[in-house]
Amino acid sequence: MKAVGLVTEYNPFHNGHIYHIQEAKKLTGADVVVVVMSGNFVQRGEPALFDKWTRAKAALENGVDLVVELPTFFAVQPSHLFAEGAVKLLSALGVSDMVFGSEHAHVDFLELASQAPSIEQGRDVQDKNQTFASAYAAELETKTGFKLTDPNDILAFSYAKAVIKLGVDIRLHPIQRLAAGYHDQTFLVGQTIASASSIRLALHKGKLEKIQDVVPSVTLQAITDGSHTINFEEKFWPLLKYRLTTDTVGQLGQIYQMAEGLEHRLAAIALGEPGPKSYQSFIKAIKSKRYTFARMQRTLFYTLLNVKVDQMQAAMQDPYLRVLGFTDAGQKYLNEIKKTVSLPLISKVDQNLAKANLRLDYKAGKLWQMLANQSEQQDVTRKPISVKSTKLSVNREIILGD
Amino acid sequence: MKAVGLVTEYNPFHNGHIYHIQEAKKLTGADVVVVVMSGNFVQRGEPALFDKWTRAKAALENGVDLVVELPTFFAVQPSHLFAEGAVKLLSALGVSDMVFGSEHAHVDFLELASQAPSIEQGRDVQDKNQTFASAYAAELETKTGFKLTDPNDILAFSYAKAVIKLGVDIRLHPIQRLAAGYHDQTFLVGQTIASASSIRLALHKGKLEKIQDVVPSVTLQAITDGSHTINFEEKFWPLLKYRLTTDTVGQLGQIYQMAEGLEHRLAAIALGEPGPKSYQSFIKAIKSKRYTFARMQRTLFYTLLNVKVDQMQAAMQDPYLRVLGFTDAGQKYLNEIKKTVSLPLISKVDQNLAKANLRLDYKAGKLWQMLANQSEQQDVTRKPISVKSTKLSVNREIILGD
C-alpha cells in the first residue's frame, strides 16, 4: 500500500485540513493518509485546544487513515527539531511522499536546503538584538537569494533539511497556501477556510458563530461538549507563578532551553512587586529581542512541566510510534508495516511505559488535564481510536474562495 | 524592664488569648509581654487563617507589647523542635518567665522533663503501627507514671525539655487550661472563650455568628475585610497535585521530612486513576498508623514549598528575631535589649535578606498570598507595626464561665 505522510497539529481540526488531506491523496495517488500529529501540547508551547484523542478522531472521520502522536520532545521544539522528529517518524512509518503547505509552493525546497547554511553557521552570525530565526534567514538569503520568512515556508524548508540530514527516501510536495484571508485573522463572508490561528482567536473571544462555516461538525461539537483549553492562560499562570516562586534559580537553570541566565530574569519578574497579574502581562514583561514569543512560551512550558536538559536529551534519543487511531485501511496498513517498522510501535501505555519512554507525554497529558479541568486520563489504559469506514463522515469537497 | 514570654499562633486571635496575656502579667508582674508567634504557616502545616501582620496587630491591640515571628523552619515542626525554636528566641529576647496553658498545670514540667527519655530512646521503641508521639508517651509513662497525651501538656513538656537542653534561665508558669467546652468543638451559650480549633471549624462552615462572643472585634473585622485562608484546601490541592505530578520521585525524595519512601506513596496516589478529587480525600488516602495528620500535613507543606533537607538544616542553624510589631512599651524594651541581644534583630527585609536567611519565610509568604489571593506582599519593604498606647483597645476582662 502506498502511504502519504502529513505533519499536523490540528489545533483545531478545520476545513483547510480536509482540503490538505484531499490534495495529498490527489497529488500522490496514495492508498492511505498517515498523519503525525502533535500531542496535547503544540509547537508554540501551548496546550492544544482539544486533547489528542479528540483531534485524532476528527482527522480519522475526515479522510486520515492513521494518526501517530509526535512525542512532546519533538513537538514542542523550534521548527528544525520539530521537522526532524516528524520526518523521522514518517520515514519509520514507511511513507513515500509528504504533502505540506507553503507560501511559495513553486520552490524546490530540497534544492534550497542543500545550499543552506548549517544551524551552527546561523548561531555564529546571530547578534544580541535578533532572534536565531531572523539571523538564519538573513544568512540563507545571502547564500541563496531566498527570503525565508513565511511560517509554512519555514516548515517546508525544515522538512527538506531533515530529509537530507536523515538520508531518507521521501518525495516532498509543497502545495500553495491559500490566498488572502487564509493566513490573517479575519473571516470573509462565504469563506469555508480560515487559519487555525484565526479560529483560535474567535474561540478565545467566545465568538462561536464566526467559525461555523470553517470547521467540520466534529470540531463544533468538541467545543460545546468536551473539555478544552480555550483561555488556558487563567490556569497556566497560577501554576507557573507557583513554580517560579518555589523553585530555586539553580533548579530553574537546569530546565531545557533555559539559556543565558534567563532563569534569573523569569524569577525576578515573577516575584517582583506588585508582579504580573496574568500570563499575558508576564510574557510581555519577559519578552526580549533575542527570543521569539513561541520560543519563550516553549521555555515556560518546559518550566511548568519541570523538564531538565538531561531528561530531554535522553528522551530525544529514544523515539517511538504511539498510535492514536486508525480506520480499517489504516489498520491494514499498520499490519503490513508491523514487521519491518524501525521504531517501537506502541498502541497501549501501562504504568511502566508511562514512567519510562513516554514519561514526558504522560506528564504533559496530566498537565493538559489540569489546564482543561478534565478528569479522563490521557494515556494509561487508553486504546487507539478505531473508526470503521462505514462511520466516516461524507467528506465535503472543500470549495476554495467563493 | 521585666519581660514575660508567650509562644503563640493566634490562629485566629481570640478571647482565650486575651485571658492568657492578662494572666501572664498578673502571675509574673512583668512590665512587658513579649510574644513569639508562628508566621504565615502554623505548626500543623496549614496556612494561618490571617497573615502574620493581621494577627500581630490583633495581639498588640490587646495587651501584647512585642511580637517576633517564629521562623517557618521552627514553626512548622513537631512539638519538640517548635518548642526548642521558640525558647531559643524568647531567651535571646531576654524574657525571665514563660506562661503557657496546660491540661495539668499542677505538674512540675521541668522535673518531669529531667526524668524523661530522650528523643532517640523514643525512636528506638517506636513500632511500625504507631506514631512517634504515642511511642514516646508510652516510654515516658513507664519511666515517670505521667500520661502525656493532652496537646497543651505536650507543648508544656516540650518547653521544659528545651529550657533544660538549651540551659537557659527562664521560669515556667503553666496555667490551667479552661474546663469543658474549651477544648472541644462546641460553643456554649453565654460562653466568651472557645478554642481556636472550634473557631476555625465555625469559620470553615461559614457560621460567623457563632464566634461573635468569643473573639475581639479586630478578628471579626479581619474575617469580613481582609484576605484569609478559610477553606485553603481548594487552592492548596491543585498546586500540590501539580507538584506531585511534575516532579520526579527522586526530587520529591529530597524534601524535608519525606522519610521511609513516602514520596513513592504520595506520587502514586496523586497520579492514580481516577485520583483524589480534593485535598481532604488525598490526605485521607495517604494517612497511615505511622504518621499523625499534622506530621503528614507538614510534609505536604514542605513539598509544596519545595524545601529540601539540606536547605532546612542550614536554615535552622541560623535563627533571627524578625520583629513584626510593638507598642510604645515594646519599643522601649527593644531599645533596652538591643545591645546585648544574642541573635540578629531584623525589622526590615530587603531582597538580599529575602534571598538569604529569610528565604523560607519569604517563600512561605508568597505561598500564603497565593492561597489567600492576597496582593499585598508579606515581607520585602514591610515595616513593623507600631501601636501607640493611646490606641490600645480597652482590654476587656475576660469572665470565665457564665
Side-chain angles (χ1 to χ4, degrees):
Chain A
M1 290 168 91
K2 179 173 177 166
V4 60
L6 315 181
V7 182
T8 69
E9 299 214 291
Y10 294 153
N11 188 35
F13 189 83
H14 60 65
N15 289 351
H17 297 130
I18 299 178
Y19 172 77
H20 180 207
I21 295 161
Q22 291 169 349
E23 285 296 299
K25 279 187 160 171
K26 271 189 214 165
L27 271 169
T28 63
D31 304 302
V32 285
V33 178
V34 171
V35 153
V36 162
M37 183 187 81
S38 300
N40 286 317
F41 284 80
V42 298
Q43 207 226 332
R44 284 166 59 82
E46 291 175 1
L49 278 183
F50 307 109
D51 72 17
K52 55 193 180 189
W53 303 101
T54 304
R55 284 146 56 230
K57 187 164 169 282
L60 292 167
E61 289 180 357
N62 284 284
V64 169
D65 296 295
L66 174 62
V67 183
V68 167
E69 181 173 357
L70 186 63
T72 307
F73 51 74
F74 285 153
V76 186
Q77 288 284 19
S79 53
H80 66 284
L81 295 177
F82 173 91
E84 201 176 307
V87 170
K88 198 173 277 177
L89 264 56
L90 285 178
S91 163
L93 285 162
V95 310
S96 58
D97 298 74
M98 274 177 74
V99 177
F100 44 81
S102 153
E103 288 83 3
H104 298 85
H106 60 280
V107 169
D108 182 340
F109 283 99
L110 278 174
E111 177 63 22
L112 184 68
S114 70
Q115 296 168 20
S118 68
I119 293 291
E120 292 67 34
Q121 285 170 316
R123 290 238 166 75
D124 287 345
V125 297
Q126 181 184 8
D127 74 32
K128 295 217 168 229
N129 292 315
Q130 65 183 165
T131 62
F132 170 76
S134 55
Y136 186 85
E139 191 68 4
L140 181 72
E141 194 179 357
T142 308
K143 276 203 163 181
T144 66
F146 184 76
K147 251 185 143 73
L148 187 66
T149 50
D150 294 315
N152 292 279
D153 282 350
I154 292 172
L155 279 173
F157 171 80
S158 302
Y159 298 140
K161 284 271 283 186
V163 163
I164 295 170
K165 184 176 170 189
L166 299 171
V168 298
D169 185 21
I170 298 180
R171 271 177 301 282
L172 303 183
H173 307 268
I175 53 174
Q176 188 62 37
R177 275 294 272 207
L178 304 172
Y182 183 86
H183 185 66
D184 70 7
Q185 297 188 331
T186 57
F187 290 85
L188 301 176
V189 178
Q191 190 180 328
T192 56
I193 291 188
S195 70
S197 61
S198 63
I199 295 170
R200 288 197 299 272
L201 188 70
L203 289 174
H204 179 81
K205 290 182 174 168
K207 296 188 170 167
L208 199 57
E209 73 285 358
K210 284 193 100 173
I211 68 161
Q212 291 187 95
D213 296 337
V214 297
V215 300
S217 58
V218 62
T219 295
L220 281 176
Q221 213 172 329
I223 298 165
T224 47
D225 294 359
S227 303
H228 59 73
T229 63
I230 301 171
N231 302 320
F232 72 91
E233 297 88 346
E234 289 162 20
K235 295 211 167 183
F236 195 92
W237 173 235
L239 296 178
L240 182 64
K241 185 179 163 190
Y242 160 72
R243 183 164 285 282
L244 291 172
T245 303
T246 50
D247 280 13
T248 64
V249 275
Q251 289 168 332
L252 295 173
Q254 295 166 34
I255 296 290
Y256 182 66
Q257 295 240 326
M258 195 68 86
E260 301 172 348
L262 186 59
E263 66 275 19
H264 295 278
R265 196 171 150 76
L266 296 190
I269 290 172
L271 292 172
E273 298 298 345
K277 287 267 173 292
S278 66
Y279 181 65
Q280 287 87 347
S281 57
F282 176 65
I283 214 163
K284 217 171 180 177
I286 60 170
K287 263 278 297 151
S288 76
K289 287 177 184 166
R290 190 107 175 107
Y291 299 113
T292 60
F293 180 87
R295 160 68 200 268
M296 204 51 104
Q297 207 165 240
R298 282 192 293 268
T299 309
L300 296 178
F301 163 72
Y302 283 117
T303 303
L304 197 55
L305 210 58
N306 190 28
V307 181
K308 305 284 158 85
V309 178
D310 54 344
Q311 294 170 337
M312 194 69 174
Q313 283 167 344
M316 288 173 76
Q317 298 308 312
D318 211 6
Y320 45 82
L321 300 166
R322 168 81 190 277
V323 179
L324 294 178
F326 37 68
T327 58
D328 297 347
Q331 191 164 23
K332 206 173 143 198
Y333 181 72
L334 261 183
N335 283 330
E336 197 179 292
I337 63 164
K338 215 175 227 172
K339 285 186 184 158
T340 55
V341 72
S342 59
L343 291 177
L345 205 54
I346 297 174
S347 58
K348 221 180 146 205
V349 174
D350 61 12
Q351 284 287 2
N352 290 333
L353 265 179
K355 280 180 193 157
N357 297 38
L358 274 79
R359 190 176 153 68
L360 281 183
D361 296 340
Y362 175 70
K363 280 179 34 169
K366 288 281 178 188
L367 181 60
W368 196 92
Q369 283 182 264
M370 290 180 209
L371 298 175
N373 205 12
Q374 187 203 44
S375 60
E376 200 180 8
Q377 57 188 311
Q378 284 295 308
D379 289 291
V380 176
T381 78
R382 292 285 285 249
K383 282 182 291 187
I385 296 163
S386 172
V387 172
K388 296 282 153 209
S389 303
T390 48
K391 283 195 183 166
L392 289 182
S393 316
V394 177
N395 284 348
R396 288 185 283 165
E397 183 76 16
I398 297 299
I399 288 114
L400 302 181
D402 52 320
Chain B
M1 290 167 92
K2 179 173 178 168
V4 60
L6 316 181
V7 182
T8 69
E9 299 213 292
Y10 294 154
N11 188 34
F13 188 84
H14 60 64
N15 289 351
H17 297 130
I18 298 178
Y19 172 76
H20 181 208
I21 295 162
Q22 290 169 351
E23 284 297 300
K25 278 187 162 170
K26 271 190 212 162
L27 270 169
T28 62
D31 304 302
V32 285
V33 177
V34 172
V35 154
V36 162
M37 183 187 81
S38 300
N40 286 317
F41 284 80
V42 298
Q43 206 226 332
R44 283 166 60 83
E46 291 176 0
L49 278 183
F50 307 108
D51 71 17
K52 56 193 181 190
W53 303 100
T54 304
R55 283 146 56 229
K57 188 164 168 281
L60 292 168
E61 289 181 357
N62 285 284
V64 168
D65 294 295
L66 174 60
V67 182
V68 167
E69 181 174 357
L70 185 63
T72 307
F73 50 76
F74 286 154
V76 186
Q77 288 284 20
S79 54
H80 67 284
L81 296 177
F82 174 90
E84 201 176 308
V87 170
K88 198 174 277 177
L89 264 56
L90 285 178
S91 164
L93 285 162
V95 311
S96 58
D97 299 74
M98 274 177 74
V99 177
F100 44 82
S102 153
E103 287 83 1
H104 298 84
H106 60 280
V107 169
D108 182 341
F109 284 98
L110 279 174
E111 178 64 21
L112 184 68
S114 69
Q115 297 166 20
S118 67
I119 294 292
E120 292 67 35
Q121 286 170 315
R123 290 237 167 75
D124 288 345
V125 297
Q126 182 184 7
D127 74 32
K128 295 215 170 234
N129 291 317
Q130 66 182 164
T131 62
F132 170 75
S134 55
Y136 186 85
E139 191 67 5
L140 181 72
E141 193 179 355
T142 308
K143 276 202 162 183
T144 66
F146 184 77
K147 250 184 144 74
L148 187 67
T149 49
D150 293 315
N152 292 279
D153 282 350
I154 293 173
L155 279 173
F157 172 79
S158 302
Y159 298 140
K161 284 271 283 185
V163 163
I164 294 171
K165 184 177 171 188
L166 298 171
V168 297
D169 184 21
I170 298 180
R171 271 177 301 281
L172 303 184
H173 307 269
I175 52 176
Q176 189 61 37
R177 276 294 273 204
L178 304 172
Y182 183 85
H183 186 66
D184 69 8
Q185 296 187 331
T186 58
F187 290 85
L188 301 176
V189 179
Q191 188 179 329
T192 57
I193 292 188
S195 71
S197 61
S198 63
I199 295 169
R200 288 197 300 272
L201 188 70
L203 289 174
H204 180 80
K205 290 182 176 169
K207 296 190 170 168
L208 199 56
E209 73 286 356
K210 283 193 101 172
I211 68 160
Q212 290 187 94
D213 296 337
V214 296
V215 301
S217 58
V218 62
T219 295
L220 282 176
Q221 213 171 330
I223 297 165
T224 46
D225 293 0
S227 304
H228 59 72
T229 63
I230 301 171
N231 301 322
F232 73 92
E233 297 89 347
E234 290 162 19
K235 295 211 167 183
F236 196 92
W237 173 235
L239 296 179
L240 181 64
K241 185 179 164 190
Y242 159 72
R243 182 164 286 281
L244 292 173
T245 304
T246 50
D247 280 13
T248 64
V249 276
Q251 289 168 331
L252 295 173
Q254 295 167 34
I255 296 291
Y256 182 66
Q257 297 239 323
M258 195 69 87
E260 302 172 346
L262 186 59
E263 67 274 19
H264 295 279
R265 196 171 149 76
L266 296 189
I269 291 171
L271 292 172
E273 298 299 346
K277 287 266 173 291
S278 67
Y279 181 64
Q280 286 87 347
S281 58
F282 177 65
I283 213 162
K284 215 171 183 177
I286 61 170
K287 264 275 302 147
S288 76
K289 288 178 184 164
R290 190 107 175 109
Y291 298 114
T292 61
F293 180 87
R295 159 67 200 270
M296 204 51 105
Q297 207 165 240
R298 282 192 292 270
T299 308
L300 297 178
F301 163 72
Y302 284 117
T303 304
L304 196 55
L305 211 56
N306 190 27
V307 181
K308 305 284 158 85
V309 178
D310 54 343
Q311 293 170 338
M312 194 68 174
Q313 283 167 345
M316 288 173 76
Q317 297 308 314
D318 212 7
Y320 44 81
L321 300 164
R322 169 81 191 277
V323 178
L324 294 178
F326 37 68
T327 60
D328 297 347
Q331 190 164 24
K332 209 174 142 198
Y333 181 73
L334 262 184
N335 283 330
E336 199 178 292
I337 63 164
K338 215 174 230 172
K339 285 184 183 158
T340 54
V341 72
S342 59
L343 291 177
L345 205 55
I346 297 174
S347 57
K348 222 183 146 202
V349 175
D350 62 12
Q351 285 287 0
N352 290 333
L353 265 179
K355 279 178 194 159
N357 297 38
L358 275 77
R359 192 177 152 67
L360 281 183
D361 295 340
Y362 175 70
K363 278 177 38 168
K366 288 280 178 188
L367 181 59
W368 196 93
Q369 283 183 265
M370 290 180 210
L371 298 175
N373 206 11
Q374 186 202 46
S375 59
E376 200 180 8
Q377 57 188 309
Q378 283 295 308
D379 288 291
V380 176
T381 78
R382 291 284 285 250
K383 280 183 294 188
I385 296 164
S386 171
V387 172
K388 294 285 152 206
S389 303
T390 49
K391 282 195 184 167
L392 288 183
S393 316
V394 177
N395 284 350
R396 288 186 284 165
E397 184 76 17
I398 297 299
I399 288 115
L400 301 182
D402 52 322

